Amino acid sequence: MRNLRCVNQSSSSDAANIKAIAWDVSSDSVITLRETHGLLSLERLVGDEFQQIASWDAPQDRYEVLDLRFFGDTETACIVFDIGDLVVVRENPSKEEKIEIVGSIDAGISAAAWSPEEELLVITTKANTLIYLTRDFEDLVSLELTARDLEISDHVSVGWGKKETQFKGKKARALRDPTVPETVDDGRLAEKNEFRETTVTWRGDGAYVAVNAIEISKQRRVIRVFSREGTLDSVSEPVNGLIGPLSWRPAGNLLAGIQLFEGKRQVVFFERNGLRHGQFSLRSLDGIEHETEIPIRSLLWNVDSTVLAVSYEDRVQLWTMGNYHWYLKQEIFEPSLNWHPEKPLKFALISRTRNKIHRLQYVLDVCSAPISPSTDYGVVAVIDGKILKVTPFRQANIPPPMALHDIEMAANANDVMITLRESTKPLLQINVLHPGQTSLYTLDCSKSEPPQRIQENGVLDKNGIDITSEGIRLERPLSFETSSLPVEPGNFKLADNGSLLFKGRPLAMGCTSYLVTPSHLIYTTSQHMLKFVHLAPHLEGLEVPPDTPESDERCRSIERGAKLVTAMPSILAVVLQMPRGNLETIYPRALVLAGLRQSIAEKNYKKAFLACRNQRVDMNMIHDHRPEQFIANVGMFIDQIRKTEHIDLFLSSLREEDVSRTMYRETLRADERLETDTVKLRVGKVNRICNAFLQALSGRKANVKNLITAQVCKNPPDLDAGLIEIVQLREKGSDQVDEVVEHLCFLADVNRLYDNALGLYDLRLTLLIAEQSQKDPREYLPFLQNLQRMETLRRQFSIDDHLSRVKKAIRHLCDLNAFEEVKSYTSTHGLYEQTMGLYRYDEEKFSSIMQLYAIHLKETSQYKAAATSFHYLNEMTQASECYRLANQWQEALSTASLIPLPSDQIRSLATTSAQSAIETKDFRAAATIFSDYLQDIPSAAKYFCKGYHFTEAFRTITLSSQTDLLASVFDTGLTENMASIIELLADCRAQLTAQVPRIRELREKKKEDPLAFFEGDVNEGKDIPDDVSLAPTDSSTMGGSLFTRYTNRSMTGTAETGTSRRSSKNRRREERKRARGKKGSVYEEEYLVNSVRRLVERVNSVGDEVGRLVEWLVRRRMVERARAVEGAMMEVVRLSRQAVEDVFGSEKENAVLGHGEVGEQGKMDVPMVKDYAKLALLGQGS
């Protein structure tokens, strides 16, 4: 679908008598050899001037320059003459001669060619010899071309085509094998049109060289293929009419030659083994009656094997191939050309009529119509000689080489351009450039008629088109109106190295083709991606998407080597061409979503709906892009869509997810987006939309199916409302009942519908639903008949009980006044609370149900609630027992006294309660029981002291007048508690002095070598066994980045997804490692930090107990002991504050924390150390 278009042209004057030209790749200049007044002059063409390199006397005899090659690395030129001389010219010689004849062959040279890497020169002499020369012109191989070379051929002839092998029976022609040719060539020579008898050509990699020469003894032309070492590899099969030109395709798969066949000429292809491999016919030449009289000078492939140049005596034709069809793309009326060795579509040619040298740069460019949404019919024009193939892809997607319209022209076309013609219709003007003339055609895109010719030999300047003086190219205006665009398409350019430039600055690398639409820059990459860039007036605003087609709508994977042909934004399509030539029309998600968003903004909901439906876009996007606008225009949506099934499709596709922020997140920058709704409701979205549809449909004659769909699509589905709609239809006598029931059964689970219909107590409706289900009539018919025979309340109870609606069933059972059945049903289903609520005004029945409930609570170990229930029922024995089991000793002993129980049983109950309190470390309760119920003052004082309630212990002793217990019990309790506190504070001090320095050490190592720290090597590899694998595991590869791996902070993207895929086994193993905090592991710091936090909390909790202990030690004249306790406490408080400052002081050093250690603002929760109030009576020395 691409045409050859000239993009750069430069010419030089004074180019007379030039014999040969060559390229200097190092300076990208042209080297020429000309003869003037008997002197040969080697010159360099720089700009428009010739700079002489050297000159010498021309040979006296008639000569021809067979090859001119310039070596840029040594600044040396090599000239091969047919008279046998090899001349070397050095541009900047050091010690060598500037001009030197390095060799001469007496027999003369018939052909010569340098290898692609310029290391070998192959020469064929007029004595039928083949010579290999090195770069230094040393003879490597010399061999003779003889008829014996044909004997090495592996071609086998079984006589196909000869009369003796032909079957001449009845209907023989119909039975002929179609794979067998009717005739077999014997290699007859062409009668004329021989420009040069011998041709030498190299394969692109320099491994093989082919020689096309006439074998006189056999009277046939033979193509010999030699290896780089000079070994004959193969010879060609006989081909009649084969002539001299031969060119090996640089890609290496084919050799191209010319065959004169039945008065016509065709290009024939050979494989390396010499076998034929297809052909194509050359077109007739304009103005030539006997075109075979004009010889073909040469065949030349360009460096990337895309263009084949066929050189005649008076013109050059450029051919390309696509989809196995050869297109004639250019016809230049100059005799020969010379391809650039490195730039594929650049060449130089000599204009002998104008005495100029032209340097031309071509590109393979698509000629497409404007891509503005109103006229983007996707019209593409393809040049094929005198035929212009025009296809509007919006009307017909016809693959090449076919086309919807074939325009036959009087002359071969060189360039074509499609512009928009000013008209009320979508009328396009096709401007065609021929050598020396132009043609104009119009195409009405609204019709399927072929283009109409309107002008011949027209002047295109009036239409804003410039024709170059040589008639090679058309200067194109912009493809669409740019006044409303943020950037002009002409600001983009594709460089030769694949860089996509914007205003001369690189935007993307590896670009292979691009298009500019009113809203996007579309381009393909060498990584086989199709990318979309939102247009912006500045380079900073052009955001190139990453290679993530799975998550970014602006990037899409395409077939390898695919390139853009055209785009049609109005139908959301892009046409791509594959390397082999076939086309593919795709609908990229970026174009689809851009068009969808625009349609929603314009309130064109029908277009948006059809786009979602055709391109499989989630229907939720129609609401989520602009939710408030959609809710306000639900009626407009219904009016535009109209079709019942389409409205049902939209409603059934609703879900709570906001796809505009998840699946189809907007990729346009925030400052460039159109104004959208700022309020977006997320909770209850589906119900909100369904309610809006129900409200909009209620005031119009709407299809009942839409109403039912809106009810059923709610979350959760309102099946009852849908069933009620059917009941109302049935009551109106509508004939749509069966159809609507079938529709409802399609939308929802028929089994659920059956249950809901049964729950409405409508047996006729239930029967309608059952008939649409897969239920067995032998099962549901007897069941429904049995229900029909019941009275109303009993039927309702049976239905609710069948549907396990026990709360409703118990209501119907209560209404039946079957109390015994109520009690049984309540006990069976645990409906005590509901039943008590129903009988709250009937004291007798309420108490009966309460009795059942209390027993149930006791059996299920809910002793506190059971005790309350028994207490309400005045069953004090059961209440006291349940209170005791609930560890409520006050209520247990109080209710025991109300029974009343004997004193010994009460003492036994009190003893049991006291022991339970001691086991739960509720020493105050135990002491109270010993004092009040057991009158055991020593035990009471002991447990008061054990709970640090020294004041209560002192009061109890003095109240009972047992002052002797002060020394034996009270002072002993003080001493024991002092020892316990001293031991606790010593442990705290030891823990702080050990853990805080270790935390500091770990953080220093983390700063010095974070990699080793986060991989767990905090011991510098000293204790790591040598059999431990250091390969990444799921903990490292799926746990986020290196520094977020152990933080458990919220992550987005693939890291979070990878973390969620961890198996539960791995998570449990990681949690066990975290809980252990093994020394040397990555979790050690976190474990130590949490340990310090818990220690601080423990120190804060014992402060009040230490204060009470110190006060009573002083009161009991144990001053030194009080000072020791207070001093230990003050020391621990000081160390705790210092530890908090060291461990929790710097937020930057504390980035790695455990679960729950990061607050809402991402900061550490620093523990507070409470102040300890010193006792002033102890003085300052403590």
Side-chain angles (χ1 to χ4, degrees):
M1 303 300 291
R2 281 169 164 73
N3 302 318
L4 278 174
R5 179 171 180 266
C6 182
V7 294
N8 190 11
Q9 176 185 3
S10 60
S11 302
S12 65
S13 58
D14 191 20
N17 301 319
I18 291 181
K19 297 292 185 179
I21 59 176
W23 284 96
D24 179 8
V25 178
S26 60
S27 62
D28 199 25
S29 59
V30 176
I31 305 297
T32 65
L33 179 67
R34 79 167 76 205
E35 181 184 3
T36 307
H37 305 298
L39 291 177
L40 287 177
S41 177
L42 188 68
E43 300 172 343
R44 181 189 299 274
L45 177 59
V46 179
D48 194 25
E49 298 180 357
F50 289 93
Q51 298 176 358
Q52 189 180 76
I53 298 175
S55 65
W56 67 98
D57 293 334
Q60 297 297 325
D61 301 331
R62 185 178 180 181
Y63 67 93
E64 181 184 357
V65 179
L66 297 179
D67 187 78
L68 170 61
R69 181 62 63 96
F70 188 86
F71 305 104
D73 53 347
T74 60
E75 297 182 331
T76 304
C78 176
I79 309 163
V80 181
F81 294 93
D82 64 338
I83 59 177
D85 291 342
L86 301 177
V87 179
V88 172
V89 179
R90 301 176 179 88
E91 186 173 8
N92 296 307
S94 55
K95 297 180 181 180
E96 304 90 346
E97 295 182 4
K98 190 176 185 67
I99 304 170
E100 180 182 2
I101 300 178
V102 295
S104 182
I105 298 174
D106 296 335
I109 300 174
S110 58
W114 284 92
S115 61
E117 78 285 355
E118 300 177 339
E119 293 296 332
L120 288 179
L121 172 64
V122 170
I123 294 174
T124 59
T125 69
K126 296 179 181 179
N128 288 333
T129 58
L130 181 68
I131 301 173
Y132 282 48
L133 299 178
T134 65
R135 179 80 170 267
D136 298 326
F137 301 98
E138 296 179 358
D139 191 355
L140 285 182
V141 177
S142 180
L143 51 89
E144 186 177 358
L145 304 178
T146 64
R148 291 191 301 274
D149 296 340
L150 277 65
E151 298 176 1
I152 73 158
S153 174
D154 295 331
H155 306 153
V156 178
S157 176
V158 295
W160 295 116
K162 296 183 179 180
K163 291 184 178 180
E164 56 268 24
T165 62
Q166 297 294 314
F167 176 68
K168 297 297 183 179
K170 189 177 181 181
K171 299 182 180 179
R173 188 172 184 85
L175 297 176
R176 186 178 63 84
D177 188 349
T179 63
V180 178
E182 295 184 3
T183 60
V184 176
D185 290 355
D186 54 8
R188 292 192 301 272
L189 294 173
E191 297 179 358
K192 52 184 177 179
N193 209 285
E194 287 287 345
F195 180 78
R196 183 174 293 161
E197 292 187 354
T198 307
T199 307
V200 178
T201 179
W202 283 87
R203 197 169 77 170
D205 59 357
Y208 294 93
V209 63
V211 179
N212 183 7
I214 297 176
E215 182 56 49
I216 302 298
S217 61
K218 297 291 186 178
Q219 284 298 302
R220 58 168 283 198
R221 180 171 287 280
V222 180
I223 299 174
R224 295 175 174 87
V225 178
F226 294 90
S227 67
R228 190 179 180 87
E229 292 76 23
T231 304
L232 182 62
D233 182 75
S234 63
V235 296
S236 64
E237 64 175 285
V239 177
N240 293 338
L242 189 65
I243 61 176
L246 183 71
S247 181
W248 204 324
R249 194 180 186 198
N253 56 341
L254 295 175
L255 293 99
I258 299 294
Q259 179 190 21
L260 297 182
F261 180 73
E262 297 180 355
K264 297 181 180 180
R265 286 177 288 199
Q266 62 181 10
V267 177
V268 293
F269 298 105
F270 296 88
E271 298 178 8
R272 198 197 78 192
N273 57 14
L275 298 179
R276 285 277 298 273
H277 190 89
Q279 67 280 325
F280 71 91
S281 298
L282 295 173
R283 312 287 169 80
S284 59
L285 304 179
D286 294 338
I288 306 298
E289 182 177 356
H290 302 287
E291 60 182 60
T292 55
E293 296 179 357
I294 300 179
I296 296 178
R297 298 172 61 92
S298 64
L299 289 176
L300 287 175
W301 290 96
N302 69 333
V303 68
D304 66 350
S305 306
T306 56
V307 182
L308 176 63
V310 181
S311 298
Y312 293 84
E313 277 285 353
D314 62 342
R315 71 194 72 191
V316 176
Q317 291 182 348
L318 303 181
W319 294 79
T320 64
M321 193 268 285
N323 245 16
Y324 305 101
H325 177 78
W326 285 89
Y327 297 86
L328 175 56
K329 294 296 185 182
Q330 287 279 327
E331 187 175 51
I332 305 173
F333 282 86
E334 300 297 347
S336 62
L337 59 77
N338 191 298
W339 289 108
H340 195 285
E342 293 183 354
K343 298 180 180 180
L345 297 177
K346 185 174 183 178
F347 60 85
L349 54 83
I350 305 173
S351 176
R352 303 195 185 279
T353 58
R354 297 185 177 91
N355 291 330
K356 291 184 178 181
I357 293 180
H358 300 292
R359 287 156 293 178
L360 304 176
Q361 176 69 54
Y362 279 77
V363 294
L364 285 168
D365 186 31
V366 177
C367 176
S368 60
I371 312 180
S372 55
S374 60
T375 58
D376 58 344
Y377 283 84
V379 179
V380 175
V382 180
I383 295 174
D384 188 12
K386 295 181 180 180
I387 298 176
L388 184 66
K389 299 177 178 292
V390 179
T391 302
F393 285 99
R394 189 167 168 183
Q395 294 179 354
N397 193 355
I398 299 178
M402 299 177 291
L404 183 62
H405 305 299
D406 285 343
I407 305 176
E408 295 185 4
M409 300 173 291
N412 293 326
N414 278 348
D415 200 1
V416 62
M417 181 180 62
I418 304 175
T419 58
L420 183 62
R421 192 178 181 91
E422 294 183 3
S423 174
T424 56
K425 301 178 181 179
L427 199 62
L428 298 178
Q429 178 173 304
I430 303 175
N431 314 279
V432 184
L433 176 66
H434 311 279
Q437 62 179 350
T438 59
S439 300
L440 298 182
Y441 300 85
T442 58
L443 176 64
D444 189 351
C445 298
S446 62
K447 303 177 181 179
S448 59
E449 299 176 355
Q452 303 295 320
R453 180 181 298 175
I454 60 173
Q455 190 175 358
E456 193 73 30
N457 295 329
V459 180
L460 301 184
D461 295 23
K462 295 181 179 179
N463 298 296
I465 304 166
D466 176 45
I467 310 173
T468 62
S469 58
E470 289 77 14
I472 295 177
R473 72 176 185 270
L474 298 170
E475 292 295 340
R476 305 170 181 234
L478 298 179
S479 59
F480 50 82
E481 183 64 32
T482 61
S483 59
S484 61
L485 298 181
V487 59
E488 294 184 0
N491 291 328
F492 295 98
K493 182 181 179 182
L494 182 59
D496 295 337
N497 60 358
S499 298
L500 184 58
L501 306 178
F502 175 70
K503 296 181 180 179
R505 299 171 62 186
L507 176 64
M509 303 297 294
C511 178
T512 57
S513 63
Y514 77 96
L515 284 173
V516 181
T517 69
S519 57
H520 291 94
L521 164 67
I522 311 174
Y523 69 95
T524 57
T525 70
S526 56
Q527 298 300 318
H528 327 302
M529 297 286 182
L530 178 67
K531 294 191 175 183
F532 294 79
V533 178
H534 297 289
L535 293 183
H538 306 291
L539 180 65
E540 294 74 13
L542 297 174
E543 183 181 356
V544 177
D547 294 342
T548 54
E550 65 279 356
S551 60
D552 197 328
E553 68 183 43
R554 298 169 296 171
C555 183
R556 171 182 174 140
S557 298
I558 56 176
E559 186 175 333
R560 179 185 296 270
K563 293 184 178 180
L564 288 165
V565 175
T566 187
M568 294 167 281
S570 61
I571 63 170
L572 318 176
V574 169
V575 181
L576 297 170
Q577 186 171 27
M578 306 304 120
R580 57 186 174 273
N582 62 306
L583 300 178
E584 181 179 352
T585 301
I586 63 174
Y587 298 86
R589 190 50 52 94
L591 278 185
V592 171
L593 293 180
L596 178 61
R597 294 184 182 108
Q598 183 178 358
S599 299
I600 295 173
E602 296 172 355
K603 298 182 182 180
N604 190 347
Y605 290 112
K606 182 176 182 179
K607 184 177 180 181
F609 174 83
L610 293 177
C612 291
R613 182 170 176 262
N614 296 335
Q615 304 305 328
R616 295 181 178 272
V617 178
D618 197 314
M619 295 285 183
N620 287 270
M621 186 65 177
I622 299 176
H623 167 270
D624 293 344
H625 181 59
R626 291 197 173 186
E628 298 302 325
Q629 172 186 301
F630 179 82
I631 293 298
N633 293 278
V634 169
M636 180 186 298
F637 178 87
I638 297 173
D639 292 336
Q640 291 182 10
I641 301 300
R642 291 188 180 180
K643 288 189 177 181
T644 303
E645 56 271 19
H646 287 177
I647 297 176
D648 287 345
L649 176 61
F650 172 78
L651 291 172
S652 60
S653 303
L654 295 175
R655 52 197 175 99
E656 295 294 340
E657 179 186 356
D658 181 7
V659 297
S660 66
R661 294 190 177 185
T662 56
M663 189 183 303
Y664 308 123
R665 182 175 56 86
E666 176 66 87
T667 56
L668 192 64
R669 291 175 52 164
D671 56 347
E672 299 171 6
R673 297 177 188 172
L674 296 174
E675 184 179 355
T676 58
D677 296 340
T678 56
V679 179
K680 298 209 172 186
L681 188 61
R682 299 290 169 262
V683 180
K685 181 189 83 172
V686 175
N687 290 347
R688 185 181 183 221
I689 297 174
C690 290
N691 291 333
F693 269 84
L694 290 173
Q695 183 178 358
L697 292 169
S698 61
R700 64 180 71 194
K701 293 182 179 179
N703 196 304
V704 183
K705 291 183 179 179
N706 293 148
L707 292 171
I708 291 179
T709 304
Q711 298 286 4
V712 173
C713 289
K714 287 184 178 181
N715 188 18
D718 193 355
L719 299 180
D720 289 348
L723 291 169
I724 292 172
E725 291 287 344
I726 297 177
V727 172
Q728 293 175 355
L729 273 181
R730 186 189 63 195
E731 293 175 353
K732 294 177 181 178
S734 174
D735 55 355
Q736 296 182 347
V737 174
D738 293 337
E739 182 181 354
V740 174
V741 169
E742 184 178 355
H743 176 70
L744 181 59
C745 292
F746 171 77
L747 292 175
D749 182 10
V750 69
N751 294 319
R752 289 187 60 191
L753 287 172
Y754 176 83
D755 292 341
N756 280 73
L758 195 59
L760 294 176
Y761 314 119
D762 191 330
L763 299 184
R764 289 180 58 190
L765 178 62
T766 305
L767 183 60
L768 284 175
I769 299 298
E771 289 174 349
Q772 296 292 331
S773 69
Q774 300 296 323
K775 293 180 178 293
D776 189 354
R778 292 175 297 181
E779 294 181 2
Y780 68 78
L781 282 178
F783 173 71
L784 295 178
Q785 290 171 355
N786 185 37
L787 291 175
Q788 184 66 31
R789 290 191 291 267
M790 296 179 183
E791 61 179 358
T792 303
L793 289 176
R794 178 60 65 177
R795 183 193 307 126
Q796 293 175 350
F797 165 75
S798 300
I799 290 175
D800 289 332
D801 181 55
H802 173 76
L803 298 176
S804 298
R805 300 178 180 178
V806 292
K807 293 182 179 180
K808 295 182 68 176
I810 196 65
R811 288 179 174 273
H812 298 306
L813 203 58
C814 292
D815 293 340
L816 287 171
N817 294 323
F819 187 66
E820 293 299 325
E821 194 174 350
V822 168
K823 291 198 297 184
S824 175
Y825 198 81
T826 300
S827 300
T828 302
H829 298 283
L831 301 173
Y832 303 101
E833 297 178 6
Q834 290 77 14
T835 308
M836 287 190 296
L838 294 173
Y839 289 113
R840 59 184 179 274
Y841 301 117
D842 191 334
E843 182 64 28
E844 181 181 355
K845 293 180 180 179
F846 181 84
S847 299
S848 180
I849 300 299
M850 178 72 80
Q851 179 76 25
L852 295 175
Y853 190 28
I855 296 172
H856 168 74
L857 291 173
K858 183 177 180 180
E859 291 174 351
T860 56
S861 300
Q862 301 179 53
Y863 299 114
K864 184 176 180 180
T868 304
S869 300
F870 284 120
H871 203 149
Y872 171 82
L873 296 172
N874 205 24
E875 296 183 11
M876 297 304 175
T877 303
Q878 292 286 353
S880 178
E881 177 65 18
C882 290
Y883 280 133
R884 183 188 65 80
L885 294 174
N887 292 323
Q888 292 182 308
W889 61 271
Q890 295 98 328
E891 291 85 349
L893 292 172
S894 300
T895 52
S897 301
L898 294 175
I899 296 176
L901 287 178
S903 59
D904 55 341
Q905 292 184 11
I906 290 179
R907 290 183 62 84
S908 175
L909 178 60
T911 303
T912 304
S913 301
Q915 294 299 325
S916 298
I918 294 172
E919 291 175 359
T920 58
K921 297 188 181 300
D922 190 358
F923 299 114
R924 188 184 187 99
T928 303
I929 295 173
F930 278 117
S931 174
D932 295 348
Y933 291 92
L934 299 177
Q935 288 77 42
D936 187 353
I937 301 304
S939 296
K942 174 184 176 182
Y943 286 107
F944 274 131
C945 291
K946 200 165 187 179
Y948 290 87
H949 303 289
F950 303 108
T951 302
E952 283 293 322
F954 189 81
R955 185 188 68 80
T956 302
I957 292 173
T958 55
L959 184 63
S960 62
S961 301
Q962 300 182 28
T963 55
D964 56 324
L965 296 178
L966 292 175
S968 60
V969 176
F970 189 81
D971 293 346
T972 302
L974 287 174
T975 305
E976 291 176 353
N977 285 1
M978 183 201 72
S980 177
I981 286 294
I982 290 293
E983 182 180 1
L984 172 63
L985 296 177
D987 291 341
C988 293
R989 184 170 58 251
Q991 181 178 344
L992 289 173
T993 55
Q995 290 182 342
V996 174
R998 177 59 178 171
I999 293 174
R1000 194 180 298 114
E1001 178 185 359
L1002 290 174
R1003 289 177 176 173
E1004 289 296 328
K1005 290 184 176 181
K1006 179 171 62 174
K1007 288 182 180 179
E1008 294 172 0
D1009 190 358
L1011 181 63
F1013 180 86
F1014 283 101
E1015 289 299 326
D1017 186 15
V1018 296
N1019 290 323
E1020 300 177 356
K1022 297 179 181 179
D1023 300 326
I1024 297 179
D1026 57 2
D1027 60 345
V1028 175
S1029 171
L1030 298 179
T1033 63
D1034 61 345
S1035 297
S1036 61
T1037 59
M1038 295 195 301
S1041 65
L1042 178 65
F1043 297 100
T1044 61
R1045 176 177 159 196
Y1046 300 102
T1047 62
N1048 286 314
R1049 298 195 179 194
S1050 61
M1051 296 175 292
T1052 59
T1054 56
E1056 185 178 8
T1057 305
T1059 304
S1060 64
R1061 286 196 295 265
R1062 287 186 184 177
S1063 65
S1064 58
K1065 181 179 179 181
N1066 291 341
R1067 285 198 299 269
R1068 289 194 298 270
R1069 182 171 65 245
E1070 291 294 326
E1071 291 301 325
R1072 287 195 297 269
K1073 290 181 180 179
R1074 187 188 299 275
R1076 287 196 302 267
K1078 181 180 178 182
K1079 186 176 182 180
S1081 70
V1082 74
Y1083 298 116
E1084 182 185 1
E1085 181 190 3
E1086 177 188 348
Y1087 176 82
L1088 295 177
V1089 169
N1090 289 331
S1091 178
V1092 171
R1093 182 189 301 279
R1094 291 190 296 269
L1095 184 143
V1096 171
E1097 294 173 355
R1098 177 61 176 151
V1099 171
N1100 290 336
S1101 65
V1102 301
D1104 294 339
E1105 297 176 356
V1106 171
R1108 294 195 296 269
L1109 176 62
V1110 170
E1111 288 180 0
W1112 280 99
L1113 284 173
V1114 172
R1115 292 171 181 172
R1116 298 300 296 170
R1117 296 178 177 273
M1118 303 179 188
V1119 178
E1120 293 302 324
R1121 293 183 179 183
R1123 285 176 176 166
V1125 173
E1126 189 176 72
M1129 184 63 185
M1130 294 297 295
E1131 177 66 14
V1132 171
V1133 170
R1134 184 186 64 81
L1135 292 176
S1136 297
R1137 287 177 175 166
Q1138 184 178 353
V1140 168
E1141 181 65 25
D1142 293 343
V1143 176
F1144 302 94
S1146 175
E1147 294 179 5
K1148 294 182 180 180
E1149 295 180 356
N1150 301 319
V1152 178
L1153 298 174
H1155 291 292
E1157 302 301 329
V1158 180
E1160 293 181 356
Q1161 304 300 325
K1163 299 181 179 180
M1164 179 177 296
D1165 295 334
V1166 180
M1168 300 296 295
V1169 182
K1170 292 183 180 180
D1171 293 333
Y1172 176 74
K1174 295 174 57 178
L1175 189 62
L1177 295 175
L1178 295 178
Q1180 301 296 327
S1182 61

